[in-house]
Amino acid sequence: MRARAHALQAEVAARAGSERHARTALSLAWYDLDRNVEGDPAPTSFSSDHLRGFDGLCELYAGDAAVAHDFFADSVAALSAPRERVQRTIVSTDQALACIRLDAPEQAADLLHNCIDSAVSTGGRVPALRLRQAREELRPWRREDFVADLDDHLVELLGS
């Protein structure tokens, strides 16, 4: 539980642009994760695979988008259990944001198509919020066919 709390603290700091605070909180999260989990009521609910996504998030907001992309890809590949689907969708959407910042909007749109399907089927609130943010960051390409296809996909699923 402490690892998750430190990871969330790192996310907040990174989103605020405080790289040093974010890296410190991430270090504490990794330390807590590596410690003995005796007494943790849910020792498997937050793993290193989850924390890699937070590493990526901190890089995305307070570091290097290319490094963030790699962290996200590793996390998505490792989060394979059915009950990790919401987290996998969150991380995939963050990976799409990294693609946008790396000037690869078509790759981002491809990732977002899968995220849309998953967010709709799981009903996750956080993935939906992240999808909204990613779509907003695609605005410079709003006249491109790949963005129109993404919008069509969103409207189609929201209407059903």
Side-chain angles (χ1 to χ4, degrees), residues 47-50 52 72-81 84 88:
S47 67
S48 60
D49 301 329
H50 292 88
R52 252 195 289 325
F72 293 140
D74 290 345
S75 182
V76 167
L79 292 168
S80 58
E84 295 172 329
R88 189 170 50 249

Side-chain angles (χ1 to χ4, degrees), residues 63-133:
D64 182 345
V67 174
H69 182 276
D70 294 343
F71 276 125
F72 293 140
D74 290 345
S75 182
V76 167
L79 292 168
S80 58
R83 67 182 199 161
E84 295 172 329
R85 190 166 181 204
V86 171
Q87 187 65 30
R88 189 170 50 249
T89 304
I90 292 167
V91 176
S92 293
T93 306
D94 290 338
Q95 185 179 9
L97 284 170
C99 290
I100 293 166
R101 292 181 186 172
L102 292 168
D103 201 28
E106 288 184 68
Q107 184 181 357
D110 288 341
L111 285 168
L112 291 172
H113 278 286
N114 292 332
C115 296
I116 290 167
D117 292 332
S118 185
V120 168
S121 68
T122 61
R125 183 177 56 90
V126 174
L129 291 170
R130 299 281 174 91
L131 277 167
R132 180 177 177 227
Q133 178 186 4

